[in-house]
């Protein structure tokens, strides 16, 4: 059983910072790309940032220059440092990872349970 568990959400004032973390655990052979998505009320889930196992990153235009994604391959963790937060960053943030479980031959897509980030103006 593979699972992703997020931590680090909360309430912050505009201009503040938060750091989200996510750890993948269970019977894992390999973790490929990892990333963060978010979903605001009444809106579709959208990509925030992704990072490959080799460290190549990709960001949504709305967060470039403010958010930084990083990972620790040895610990199967991915983090999202969020600076200069804006009220429009308010959303539930979800961790995502493409994982090859033990005794499997195909990659599977996994999601965390989500963590709330609220930015007050």
């Amino acid at each position: 059983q593979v699972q992703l568990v997020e931590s680090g959400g909360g309430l912050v004032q505009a201009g503040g910072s938060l750091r989200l973390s996510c750890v993948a655990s269970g019977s894992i052979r390999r973790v490929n790309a990892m990333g963060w998505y978010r979903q605001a009320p009444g809106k579709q889930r959208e990509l925030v940032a992704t990072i490959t196992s080799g460290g190549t990153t990709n960001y949504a235009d709305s967060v470039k220059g403010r958010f930084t994604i990083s990972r620790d391959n040895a610990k199967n963790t991915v983090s999202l440092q969020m600076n200069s937060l804006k009220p429009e960053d308010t959303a539930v943030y979800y961790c995502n990872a493409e994982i090859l479980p033990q005794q499997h031959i195909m990659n599977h897509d996994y999601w965390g349970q989500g963590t709330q980030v609220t930015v007050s103006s």
Side-chain angles (χ1 to χ4, degrees), residues 37-97:
Y37 291 72
R38 67 186 181 187
Q39 187 167 18
K43 295 187 177 181
Q44 290 188 331
R45 190 173 298 188
E46 64 176 4
L47 178 148
V48 176
T50 60
I51 184 167
T52 67
S53 56
T56 300
T57 59
N58 179 53
Y59 295 92
D61 288 342
S62 59
V63 307
K64 282 181 181 177
R66 301 188 298 122
F67 291 10
T68 302
I69 190 170
S70 60
R71 66 187 286 172
D72 184 331
N73 290 333
K75 297 181 180 179
N76 290 336
T77 60
V78 62
S79 298
L80 185 69
Q81 178 65 43
M82 305 184 292
N83 298 328
S84 302
L85 282 161
K86 304 175 181 180
E88 50 263 44
D89 294 317
T90 295
V92 177
Y93 284 69
Y94 296 91
C95 176
N96 170 263

